[in-house]
Structures are given as structure tokens and as C-alpha cells.
Amino acid sequence: MTKMNMLQAINNALDTAMAADERVLCFGEDVGVFGGVFRATSNLQQKYGKSRCFNTPLVEQGIIGFANGLAAQGSVPVAEIQFADYIFPAFDQIVNESAKYRYRSGNLFDVGGLTIRSPYGGGIAGGLYHSQSPEAYFAHTPGLKVVVPRNPHQAKGLLLAAIHDPNPTLFFEPKRLYRASVGEVPDGDYRLPLGEAEVIKEGTDITVLGWGAQMEVIEQAVERAEKDGISCEVIDLRTILPWDYETVANSVFKTGRLVVTHEAPLTGGFAGEIAATIQERCFLYLESPIARVTGLDTPFPLVLEKEHLPNHLKIYDAIRASVEF
Amino acid sequence: MTTTKPKVAYSPVFTDGGEFQIPTFKLLKQDGKLYKNAKAPDLDKDKALRIYRAMVTTRILDERMLAAQRQGRLSFYMQCTGEEAAVVGSAAALDDNDMIMAQYREQAALAYRGFTIDEFMNQLFGNELDYGKGRQMPVHYGSKKLHYMTISSPLATQIPQATGYAYGQKLAGKGHCTITYFGEGAASEGDFHAALNMAAVHRVPVIFLCRNNGYAISTPATEQFAADGVAPRAYGYKMDVIRVDGNDILAMYEATRQARKLAVEHNRPVLIEAMSYRLAAHSSSDDPSGYRSKDEEAVWREKDPILRMRLWLESKKWWSESDEKKLQESMRREVLETMKRAQKRPPPPLETLVTDVYDEVPPALAEQFDKLKAHIRQYPDEYPKSAEHAKGGA
């Protein structure tokens, strides 16, 4: 075990995967000798050479198109998109190509080796284009896996799982926690399961669900609620697609109440999918409406970022309102 | 910073590149004779006949299947007519293990590689033997064993994928390359730019083959680009480029043979612009009489690439009138018989709706499938293709 921040854990995961399998390649804008604008790929070019860790021209659709081809060839590409806000030029390659490669070819060809890493989320004064959380756009696309870690231990274990998973996987990294989140990380190769939520804390009165950087915010909200005597069950969804509705439903059978929170805007956000599914499965067990605490239906603002974000106070209020309904 | 040494000017000099004119490489005249000073490539009789048969097969298949679409037997079809030489001439210059990543009008390359009429038909009818399990529209072929990547409809997406695929081949070090085909319309997509630039920067063994056939559906090339075709764009990427008469089988073969050498032996990607004409409609859903003249089509019908090659073969005494008759008759018969067989084969099983989305069916999708089966069991007459399959299971 070594104490690492989230960036170091991600760098360590890439190092682990590249050392074990020469088919693993890392590329993107500025990932080469510079090691990435956040340093997630530090020293990888020095260690594994320019042919396995390299800069690409500045063209997101090219990066992912190139990665699709490489994965179809049998390589294991880990492509970086510098900010999740800039993944949209590659939307066609991801949604029409990566996601449908296996299905449309009758499993003759696939791009299962593909992993796309990208920093996402607000809270760093990033304004409109350094703050977005685009997971819901991709959650509407059968064929993709979408994964978000919450801390260094999760980041390494989930990223290694994503790299080895035989399906194209989007890995969104909460950049606000890159250096802020520090913890013990195992030194060797370990993989956390994709498609499984994790119950972080058991409780009996209400279920509070989130993912990524929002888990830290949930923790603060729950601490406050528990001082009021409300017992909260906290779940980290970890994988957005395909998501673990069973763990969430089992929790709601017990608590009868659910708050879902994410940074992305409310309308069309993934909380809507969760709310609809849980309402179907747990109809007779629900004691209050499912609450969604999210960003506003606006582009991500700069100066009023704090007002926009679903912070611990907004989540606390939603917990209180649900319990007092 | 540029990668070349800058020249300096002390008064403003604008240039639009108009001083560059890319010549068209030609070897074979329409009468089947070589141009003066032209030298035929080293093409033996067996290979020449393999090329010719693939072109004729494609022409016959295209004619028959368009008719089948008109009769309502088939939902959709697209012909390669007029462009057979551009496609087969280039494919024949490759190693059979090189990867082909095509657009959707390159069935002739697949015919050259040995895709059987049966395999074509199974895809066209989406029956239980279709490799694609009946999921895609007709003419979206793919073959793992023939190294022919499954076609998808979104234009140009395969171009940067070809760059990536070829990069993997370069690392694997087995001396293979990738060729990717696309039309001059697809070359306007951003993916074209991304692919060529990345290939040049990373020195990837890939051949970009643009079929410039004059039209993207109804849009003439004059409304597609202002420049002298697609070829001059290679200058901007510092990439080797050649323009070829796409109806000239010998020129297409020779240009691609040399391009492959540049790609595989020197890691130099190459752009080939094959000048041709889309003699057929864009697809079975299109009627070209709304946007181009019969006179224009007639000019190009005179330049038929198959006839041109046939005359060359006859001049070499490798082909005769009776060979032609035999091939035409046997191929027509095979296409017809195979079509009848393929049409009668059952559709893919119901479960292929949900398999291959992921490597395994996720639980939520399995639940959706069980619900669907229960629904079909309730209304079996409404789902004749799958009622039998829905009987099993929960």
C-alpha cells in the first residue's frame, strides 16, 4: 500500500497496465513527454517509449477514430480527452462507432479494448467548458460502459477494470479531486467490478445515491443529517452504464426513501433514469417522492458556480424534506 | 514552428496553390491498347483473370440485386457500377492479408478477396447465415477471414479508424498495411482531415483511396469543393499523393502497388484519388434523372472499365468471346439460384436482438428480452418471424 492522490493512482494504474501488456497504449493531447496537462501520464513515455505513449494532433474525433481502429486491430488503447467538455467532437465516433462495433458486425469485430479517460466536473472555476459532466449523454447509448471513481483506491481499481473489460469504456475522472483526494492504494494489479454499486455506509431512514466527486459532498450532507438523528444509507453508483439497479432497489426496499444527486443539469440527467426505475421497482415501498439534487438547467456558470452546484446544504435540505414528507 | 525550413518574403505574397496541377496517371486506352510510352505492370494471367472475374461478378450481382430491390424482394441496394476498376485494381495490388476498411460501394474488393455469392446474399437478405446477424441494412458487408472491416453507414468514420488500425499493424511489425476507401463527398467530413493529418504525423502504413465519381448523391463535385479535386489536400499534410484514371485497371493496380511499397517499407501514408463516374443511381432510393443529364452518363458509359480490361485481355489472348459468354451465363445462373436459396433461409433467432451489444447480456437487457418474449407469446400471429423462437425460456 502506498499513499497517493487520485492522479498518482491513475498514473500508477496506467503504468501497471502498460508494464503487464505491451498492447496497452496511451495517447491524446499533451500526454507525451509533458505527461498530460494534469500529469496523469507522467513518465510513461520515458518508461515505455514514444510508440506506446504519444501526443496526437489536436483533434478529438481523430483521437477516438484512431483509437477505435487500434482497438479493432487488437491493441488496447487508452485515449485521453483533455476535458470531458471537449469530448463532443468525438461523439459520433463514440456513439455510432465504438458503441455499435460488435453488434453491427455480428461479433466479427469489436473495439472492446478501448478505454477513454477524461477529467470531468465542476468546482474548479472552470466556467462553461472546464466543468461539464456529460455522463447522461452516453448513458443513452447501448454498447458503452460509463465509469466514475470517487477516490484514489477506486480510481486505480476501476481504471484497471475498464482497461481489461472487453467492452468500450468511458472513464470520467473527477478533476476537482485529482490532488484533493488522498488515500492508501495497493501497489499491484487489482480490479474493482464494473456494473456494481457500492454501499459505503449502511442506514435505515433514507438512501442517498451519487457518484464521483459528489460522494464527498454527500458525506458532508449525511454527517449533518445524522446529527439530526436521520440514519442514512450511502451508495456510490460507480458505474453509470450498465448500472446496478438491484443494489439501489434493495436499499430503497429497506429505507423507503431516495435522494439522487449529480452535478449535471436536472433535465435528462441520469438521476431521472434512476428515479423512474426505482419508482417502478419499489412503488409500494416508497414513503416520499424520489428527490433529485442536481445542477440547474443552465450552462455551467463561472462566478455563481457555488450557487449552481448541488452542494451539501442542498442535499441536506432534500434529505430533511424527504424524511419529513 | 513548422517542420520545414521557412522561406521569407518582404512584400505580401498570397497563393492559392493554383500553380500546382496534379496529373492523371493512365496506362490503358479504351480500345484495350496501351498509351504510347506506357508500360504495363507485371501482372500474370492468373491474377489478371482473377481481377476480371471479380469485376464481372460485381457487375452481374449489382444488376440482378437492383432488379430484386425493384421487385420488392430486398429493402435496399447500392451498386458499384462504373467504379469496379478503381476498387478491384487497388485491392489486387495489396497482400490478401492487408486490412480493407471500405465505405459502402466497394463490394468489388470483397468479390476479389473471395467472398462467395452465397455470403453476399446472406447479408443482403439478413438471414440466419448472415455474419452480421441481420442487424444492418443491405450492402453493409464484413468478413473477418478476408480482412474486410464491417461497413457502417456514417460517412468517413472508417478513415481515422484505418489510421489507427494501420498504426497497430506497424507496431506488430508483420509488414501489413490498411487501405481505406471513401468517396469525394465523404472527404468533406472532418474525419478525413483528422485521419490524414494523424497518419502523416505518425508515419502510418495506410493508403487512403478516394473514389472521386463526381457526385455525392445529388451534389456535384463542383459544389463539394473549390479546389482541383481531393488530391491537392495531401500537400497540406506533406503526404505522397497520386491521381489515377479510375477506369484504367492497369493504372489503378500499378499506382496502388507502388503506394503499398511506400506505406509498408517506408511508413509513408499515401493518398490516391481515383477519377471515375458513378454510372448507377446513388442507391435504390435515388433517381439521378433529377440532377444530371443522360448525355453526361452516356459519355461515361463509353469509358466502361470492364470493357476496357476485357479488350486488353483479348489483345493478350488471355480471354475470348466464348470465355466471356461462359462466365456471363454461369455467373447469372449462380446469382439467381443463390438468391432463391438465401431468400428462403430463416431470419436470425430472436435472441440476436440483444446479444453482442456487450460481450455479455447485462441483467437489465435480459429482463427486457424476457418481457419481449412473453409479449410475442401473447401475439404469435403478429410476429411470424420470431414466434417460434419466443416459445422457449421464461
Side-chain angles (χ1 to χ4, degrees), chain A residues 25 51 54-57 59 61-63 65-66 68-70 72-73 92-93 96-97 101-109 142-145 166-167 241-242 245 281, chain B residues 101 131-133 135-136 142-144 148-150 152 154 157 160-161 163-165 167-169 171 190-191 194 197-198 202 352-353 355-359 363-364 367:
Chain A
L25 310 168
S51 64
F54 52 90
N55 290 336
T56 64
V59 56
Q61 67 200 89
I63 292 169
F66 184 93
N68 276 332
L70 255 178
Q73 181 267 340
D92 184 46
Q93 281 287 347
N96 275 331
E97 298 292 317
Y101 231 88
R102 189 192 298 275
Y103 190 75
R104 75 184 184 206
S105 71
N107 205 21
L108 286 184
F109 300 98
L144 299 176
K145 292 196 176 181
N167 298 285
L241 189 73
Y245 54 89
R281 286 172 190 272
Chain B
M101 297 177 85
Y131 300 133
K133 305 181 188 173
R135 289 167 181 151
Q136 290 215 85
S143 171
K144 180 96 174 168
Y148 193 96
M149 182 61 73
T150 300
S152 73
T157 48
Q161 290 172 18
T163 301
Y165 200 100
Y167 185 85
Q169 289 172 314
L171 291 191
D191 276 358
N197 192 37
M198 290 179 83
H202 288 288
T352 58
L353 260 182
T355 53
D356 305 329
V357 179
Y358 297 91
D359 65 319
E367 277 186 35

Side-chain angles (χ1 to χ4, degrees), chain B residues 244-305:
Chain B
V244 187
D245 178 345
N247 289 21
D248 179 340
I249 189 72
L250 299 184
M252 281 305 305
Y253 178 81
E254 182 58 14
T256 314
R257 193 184 66 80
Q258 294 198 25
R260 185 180 189 278
K261 258 177 116 70
L262 285 169
V264 172
E265 292 173 24
H266 306 281
N267 291 315
R268 295 177 72 97
V270 182
L271 173 63
I272 300 175
E273 184 177 26
M275 308 307 290
S276 187
Y277 191 80
R278 195 195 74 211
L279 274 178
H282 164 70
S283 74
S284 56
S285 313
D286 171 51
D287 173 12
S289 70
Y291 54 82
R292 69 186 191 190
S293 72
K294 292 276 175 217
D295 291 351
E296 180 187 300
E297 291 176 12
V299 169
W300 281 91
R301 206 158 278 124
E302 292 294 307
K303 300 181 188 178
D304 188 330

Side-chain angles (χ1 to χ4, degrees), chain A residues 120 135 148-150 197-198 200 207-219 233-240 248 258-263 270-271 274 293 315:
Chain A
Y120 89 96
E135 65 271 18
V148 191
R150 72 173 183 276
E198 185 187 1
I200 296 176
T207 303
V208 187
L209 174 68
W211 51 87
Q214 207 55 6
M215 296 315 297
E216 197 195 36
V217 182
I218 289 175
E219 209 176 298
E233 182 142 307
V234 178
I235 301 179
D236 178 2
L237 193 61
R238 299 198 294 191
T239 300
I240 309 298
V248 181
L258 176 63
V259 173
V260 186
T261 175
H262 56 61
E263 287 184 22
F270 197 64
I274 294 169
V293 186
I315 297 170

Side-chain angles (χ1 to χ4, degrees), chain B residues 19-279:
Chain B
E19 62 270 35
F20 299 111
Q21 274 253 319
I22 298 182
T24 304
F25 173 49
K26 290 170 177 275
L27 292 175
L28 194 61
K29 291 189 290 182
Q30 191 60 31
D31 62 7
K33 297 198 175 81
L34 291 172
Y35 283 95
K36 202 179 153 195
N37 299 330
K39 189 178 167 299
D42 185 16
L43 198 57
D44 64 35
K45 182 181 169 187
D46 282 355
K47 189 152 193 171
L49 292 183
R50 180 179 166 194
I51 290 171
Y52 185 68
R53 286 198 180 97
M55 288 166 63
V56 172
T57 300
T58 305
R59 183 68 65 88
I60 291 171
L61 180 74
D62 282 353
E63 284 170 357
R64 188 67 204 95
M65 298 322 287
L66 184 76
Q69 195 281 332
R70 294 283 182 251
Q71 294 162 347
R73 294 178 181 214
L74 203 62
S75 58
F76 180 75
Y77 197 73
M78 296 179 106
Q79 298 168 264
C80 182
T81 307
E83 299 176 69
E84 295 94 342
V87 174
V88 184
S90 48
L94 304 176
D95 184 289
D96 279 350
N97 293 313
D98 289 339
M99 176 50 80
I100 295 177
M101 297 177 85
Q103 186 171 303
Y104 47 58
R105 207 182 292 289
E106 295 89 358
Q107 53 265 46
L110 203 43
Y112 176 81
R113 286 266 169 107
F115 210 57
T116 64
I117 301 293
D118 210 36
E119 289 174 303
F120 278 116
M121 290 297 173
N122 292 335
Q123 199 285 329
L124 292 171
F125 287 102
N127 64 32
E128 65 175 0
L129 294 183
D130 170 25
Y131 300 133
K133 305 181 188 173
R135 289 167 181 151
Q136 290 215 85
M137 285 172 76
V139 308
H140 289 55
Y141 306 111
S143 171
K144 180 96 174 168
K145 65 177 187 289
L146 300 178
H147 307 281
Y148 193 96
M149 182 61 73
T150 300
I151 305 301
S152 73
S153 305
L155 281 180
T157 48
Q158 81 282 7
I159 315 178
Q161 290 172 18
T163 301
Y165 200 100
Y167 185 85
Q169 289 172 314
K170 177 178 160 183
L171 291 191
K174 290 182 184 152
H176 288 134
C177 69
T178 295
I179 191 168
T180 178
Y181 292 92
F182 50 90
E184 89 286 350
S188 293
E189 294 281 1
D191 276 358
F192 167 88
H193 157 67
L196 271 72
N197 192 37
M198 290 179 83
V201 168
H202 288 288
R203 300 180 62 93
V204 174
V206 57
I207 300 168
F208 300 102
L209 201 143
C210 178
R211 296 178 290 95
N212 185 343
N213 64 17
Y215 289 88
I217 308 185
S218 73
T219 304
T222 50
E223 290 169 35
Q224 197 63 245
F225 36 67
D228 173 32
V230 173
R233 292 181 210 169
Y235 294 151
Y237 303 112
K238 204 170 190 309
M239 182 180 293
D240 293 302
V241 60
I242 187 168
R243 172 175 286 152
V244 187
D245 178 345
N247 289 21
D248 179 340
I249 189 72
L250 299 184
M252 281 305 305
Y253 178 81
E254 182 58 14
T256 314
R257 193 184 66 80
Q258 294 198 25
R260 185 180 189 278
K261 258 177 116 70
L262 285 169
V264 172
E265 292 173 24
H266 306 281
N267 291 315
R268 295 177 72 97
V270 182
L271 173 63
I272 300 175
E273 184 177 26
M275 308 307 290
S276 187
Y277 191 80
R278 195 195 74 211
L279 274 178

